[in-house]
Amino acid sequence: MMAPSYKELFRENEELRAKVAELTEENHTLRAIIAELEQEVAHLREELVKLKEENEQLQAQLKGHSPLVVKPPRTGEPKKPGRKQGHPGSARPIPSKVDEEQELTLDRCPDCGSPLSGPQEERVRYVEDLLPPRLHVTRTRYRIKRYWCPHCRKLVERKPSDVLPGPQLGIRAMSYVVYLREELRLPVNLVQRYLERAGLKVSSGEIEGICTAVAEHLRPIYEGYLRELQEGEAANLDETGMRIEGENHWLWAGATKDPEQEQETVLFHHDERRSSAVAEELLGEEFDGVVGCDFFNAYNPLSGRKQRCWAHLLRETSKLKERGEEGSYLHQRLKGLWERASSWVEHQQGRAPPALREWLAQRWEGELLRLSRRDWQDSGCRRIAKRLAKHWGELFTFVRHPGVEGTNNSVERALRPYVVKRKISGGHRSWAGARKHAILMSVLETCRRRGEDFWGLIEGVLREAVASAS
């Protein structure tokens, strides 16, 4: 047998060196994972000690009482209100600015009527109160001088700076009408009544026309929200029914959050369809983030990563507790998995290395698979088991990717006010009105989440429109 050549030995040596380097790197990764797990175990042990102590205290309190009595009856004198002795008190701070000062004097005693001498001492008291807002209607007549331009060969004039071309209502009045209609959600007749008390009569058609005009001026902002949704690292989607022209259609909502600027964006869209095509249009062809959604089939065809909503899953399994031990067991197992995973993500706050995140996600996904393969006798449990078998790889995406939410609550909270509004109004009379309200609702909800002034933003946009038209 021939001895290996120098080149063969050299190649084998290089392969062994590469293998050693790979194993060394893997060893470092595993050591980091072990260190993180040791910290987690230490943290859980501390929690266990605290829970044991709390349990012993509760057992001591319950001793001698009926099992139904959780809180023992109060004995002795009731506690005095306020903070404990030795702790600094807490009271409303003294106003930094005083708008009005009054001096209160007396000539006679308010109890017996006897005449009084000069004041012996002085006591100071601060009071903060509210004055009812009063709207002041201003009516301006512009005398606009028109001039002949020999170059343009036409009459030219200076445009007013506080009104759009055409309307008789000024920018502040238009902004206030939209504020009353959208943010305060007043019906048209109450908007009319409120403005009439201030001395301004506005017809119902004029109110709707103002909202339509403002929505058109806000359309560029709305389109910017759509781009932010499509470019976000994660986007949550949801939909709810909405009647338009007397027929059942759908209001879609999308929400995303910029992790760097810590600002949220919410976008609403009305559509005749409740299909994956709408979701694909909202997210765009180049979306490569994580889609947060519930278990509705329309989200299944979407390409890319998904995070299915744990709140939807646990709400359904909580109903199984009443069906027997199997349902209660399944709910408790899933609830425990969610609590462990969400607590770990909150505790780590994005500091954990990707290898550890991947390892934990696979570990918890394995528990989901084992639950899905059990021989469930209850039909409801079998239905949930099929869902777990289908979506087990889409429930711990929030563990793998920092910044992704484990639930779809952010977009559901955005839809809730308009579900209430739907019950009152019944929907929209036209598609033009539905699209108008989608723009106004998107700007309003995004302003609310960013802490911006909706009324002020509208006024600023209208002033820019006046400036550009002048």
Side-chain angles (χ1 to χ4, degrees), residues 208-219:
E208 293 300 334
I210 289 171
C211 292
T212 301
V214 170
E216 285 302 313
H217 287 290
L218 293 176
R219 185 176 293 277

Side-chain angles (χ1 to χ4, degrees), residues 236 238 292-295 307-319 331 334-335 338-339 342 384 387 394-395 398 405-413 416:
N236 289 54
D238 201 3
C293 55
D294 54 25
F295 296 90
Q307 171 59 57
R308 301 290 176 166
C309 179
W310 273 92
H312 280 81
L313 180 62
L314 294 178
R315 274 200 296 267
E316 289 199 42
T317 58
S318 66
K319 300 174 184 177
H331 175 70
L334 290 175
K335 184 179 179 182
W338 160 248
E339 290 176 347
S342 58
I384 297 297
R387 178 176 295 181
E394 300 173 342
L395 281 163
F398 76 103
E405 297 179 356
T407 68
N408 215 24
N409 290 344
S410 62
V411 71
E412 284 196 330
R413 288 196 302 271
R416 192 167 295 124

Side-chain angles (χ1 to χ4, degrees), residues 12 17 21 28 31 41 115 192 200 257 299 356 375 396:
E12 183 180 357
R17 285 178 179 273
H28 289 323
R31 286 180 180 274
V41 168
Q192 288 179 285
L200 184 65
K257 185 175 183 179
Y299 301 110
L356 176 59
D375 185 18
F396 291 105

Side-chain angles (χ1 to χ4, degrees), residues 182-242:
E182 296 299 325
E183 186 162 5
L184 298 190
R185 287 185 277 174
L186 295 180
V188 172
N189 62 330
L190 291 186
V191 174
Q192 288 179 285
R193 189 186 307 174
Y194 183 81
L195 294 176
E196 190 173 355
R197 290 184 62 184
L200 184 65
K201 289 188 176 182
V202 185
S203 67
S204 58
E206 194 171 7
I207 291 174
E208 293 300 334
I210 289 171
C211 292
T212 301
V214 170
E216 285 302 313
H217 287 290
L218 293 176
R219 185 176 293 277
I221 296 179
Y222 177 81
E223 293 171 352
Y225 291 166
L226 180 60
R227 288 192 296 271
E228 291 177 16
L229 184 72
Q230 295 173 349
E231 296 170 1
E233 296 180 3
N236 289 54
L237 297 179
D238 201 3
E239 77 292 327
T240 187
M242 180 65 67

Side-chain angles (χ1 to χ4, degrees), residues 5 11-12 25 201 208 277 284 317 369 372 422 427 434:
S5 65
R11 189 182 308 111
E12 183 180 357
E25 184 179 355
K201 289 188 176 182
E208 293 300 334
T317 58
L369 278 174
S372 68
R422 175 188 65 194

Side-chain angles (χ1 to χ4, degrees), residues 321-372:
K321 293 189 296 183
E322 302 175 357
R323 300 167 66 108
E325 294 183 2
E326 272 195 339
S328 180
Y329 173 78
L330 178 58
H331 175 70
Q332 292 302 326
R333 285 293 303 274
L334 290 175
K335 184 179 179 182
L337 263 176
W338 160 248
E339 290 176 347
R340 272 189 287 158
S342 58
S343 176
W344 184 84
V345 169
E346 183 180 1
H347 177 67
Q348 291 298 318
Q349 296 178 350
R351 296 189 300 268
L356 176 59
R357 289 180 170 274
E358 180 65 30
W359 182 81
L360 284 173
Q362 291 183 8
R363 172 186 167 187
W364 288 326
E365 285 170 352
E367 294 191 39
L368 286 181
L369 278 174
R370 286 192 290 274
L371 282 175
S372 68

